[in-house]
Amino acid sequence: MTSSESLSFFSPEYTSPRMFPVTPSPRPPPSSSLKRGMPSPSPMSQIIMSKQALNQPLTPEVSCEIIKNKPVVQYVVPRQRRRTNPAVWCAAILCMLFSLLLISFGIGTLVIFLSIKPRNPVFDTSNASLSVIYLDSPKYMNGDFTFIANFTNPNKKLDVRFEHLAIELFFSDSLIATQLLQPFTQRQRETRIVQVHMISSLVYLPPISAFKLQKQVLSNRVVYNIRGTFKVRVNIGLIHYSYWLHGRCQLEMTSPPAGALITHSCRTKR
C-alpha cells in the first residue's frame, strides 16, 4: 500500500481529488428529414425487435394472428358476355314488325269505323193477312198467314249482305210455322221488300194455347209474334266482318178469312 493510499481521509495531509471539466459529446448531424422540415419519428411509433426475435421461426399462433390482421384484397373478375343467337334476333324483329302491323291495323280500323259510323239494318213489316185458322181437334191447328217483310239498310257508305235469313211464327210462345229466305245484298240506303208466306199444318198446341186461340178468333183479335234471325256481313274495302241480327214483331189482326193487320210493333237488335 502506497503512502498516498494510506493517508486517512481525516488526516491533514489529505487533499480532495482535482475535478476536471467534462467535455460535451458532439451532437449528431441533422438528418435529411429534419432538413426538409419533417418531424423525426418518436420512439412510441417505432418497433424494436431483437435479432433473436427476427431469427425465431413463426409459430402457427403467430402466423394466424398475422393472417387475421392482414387486410383482405378482393378481386372482381368480369363476366364474359355470351353472343346472342342470330335466330333469336330474327324472331324478335319479326315479333316487333307483327306487333307494329297489328297496332296500325287496329288504329286504321278504328278511324274507319269512326268516320263511317256503321248502323244495323232494320227489319219491319208493313202489311199482313190471316186467311185461314181452324182446329182439326182441340190440340192440332192449321193456318195460312202472309206478311210483307221490309229490310232496310240505313248506312250511307256501307253495303250489307244477308247471308242467312230464318223467320219463325209464334202463337203464345208456341212455334206454328217457319220459313227460310234466299240471301241477298243491299246497297246504301236501300230497302228490300219480301213477301213471306207461312203455312201451319197439323201443328200441336198445348190445351191452354188452343183454348186461347179459339177465344181470340171469337173476339176478332188474333195476336201473332214473328221472330227473325239473320246473319249480316258488312264489307269495308278489304275489311269485312259478320254478326247476327235479331228482329222481333208483334202483330194484331182481325179473324180470318178477312184477317187484316190492325197494329204492329217491331224492333231489331244484335
Side-chain angles (χ1 to χ4, degrees), residues 112 114-119 153-160 186-189 234-237:
I112 292 173
L114 292 178
S115 60
I116 295 177
K117 295 180 180 179
R119 299 171 60 185
N153 179 15
N155 295 291
K156 299 179 181 180
K157 302 178 181 180
L158 291 179
D159 298 340
V160 297
Q186 274 191 304
R187 302 295 178 184
Q188 306 166 9
R189 295 271 187 166
V234 180
N235 298 322
I236 308 175

Side-chain angles (χ1 to χ4, degrees), residues 134-188:
Y134 68 93
L135 298 173
D136 281 347
S137 64
K139 295 182 180 181
Y140 294 97
M141 168 202 171
N142 297 278
D144 192 338
F145 172 73
T146 304
F147 75 99
I148 304 299
N150 298 331
F151 298 91
T152 305
N153 179 15
N155 295 291
K156 299 179 181 180
K157 302 178 181 180
L158 291 179
D159 298 340
V160 297
R161 176 172 176 78
F162 287 84
E163 296 183 339
H164 175 79
L165 300 95
I167 297 177
E168 299 173 330
L169 182 64
F170 285 83
F171 174 79
S172 182
D173 296 332
S174 297
L175 180 63
I176 58 176
T178 59
Q179 184 70 31
L180 296 177
L181 304 181
Q182 293 295 326
F184 60 88
T185 301
Q186 274 191 304
R187 302 295 178 184
Q188 306 166 9

Side-chain angles (χ1 to χ4, degrees), residues 120-256:
N120 296 327
V122 178
F123 170 73
D124 197 359
T125 181
S126 57
N127 195 8
S129 63
L130 182 59
S131 56
V132 175
I133 287 182
Y134 68 93
L135 298 173
D136 281 347
S137 64
K139 295 182 180 181
Y140 294 97
M141 168 202 171
N142 297 278
D144 192 338
F145 172 73
T146 304
F147 75 99
I148 304 299
N150 298 331
F151 298 91
T152 305
N153 179 15
N155 295 291
K156 299 179 181 180
K157 302 178 181 180
L158 291 179
D159 298 340
V160 297
R161 176 172 176 78
F162 287 84
E163 296 183 339
H164 175 79
L165 300 95
I167 297 177
E168 299 173 330
L169 182 64
F170 285 83
F171 174 79
S172 182
D173 296 332
S174 297
L175 180 63
I176 58 176
T178 59
Q179 184 70 31
L180 296 177
L181 304 181
Q182 293 295 326
F184 60 88
T185 301
Q186 274 191 304
R187 302 295 178 184
Q188 306 166 9
R189 295 271 187 166
E190 182 183 355
T191 300
R192 188 181 184 92
I193 298 174
V194 181
Q195 182 177 353
V196 183
H197 187 203
M198 309 188 76
I199 297 176
S200 304
S201 177
L202 295 176
V203 177
Y204 172 78
L205 288 178
I208 297 177
S209 298
F211 177 77
K212 187 176 180 179
L213 178 59
Q214 292 178 357
K215 188 176 180 180
Q216 289 184 3
V217 170
L218 294 176
S219 63
N220 201 25
R221 294 280 178 144
V222 179
V223 179
Y224 275 177
N225 290 289
I226 299 174
R227 299 179 186 179
T229 304
F230 318 109
K231 185 179 182 181
V232 182
R233 177 172 177 173
V234 180
N235 298 322
I236 308 175
L238 299 176
I239 304 171
H240 59 85
Y241 65 97
S242 301
Y243 59 91
W244 289 95
L245 196 66
H246 303 278
R248 300 288 185 270
C249 289
Q250 183 175 349
L251 290 75
E252 186 175 346
M253 298 168 292
T254 58
S255 300

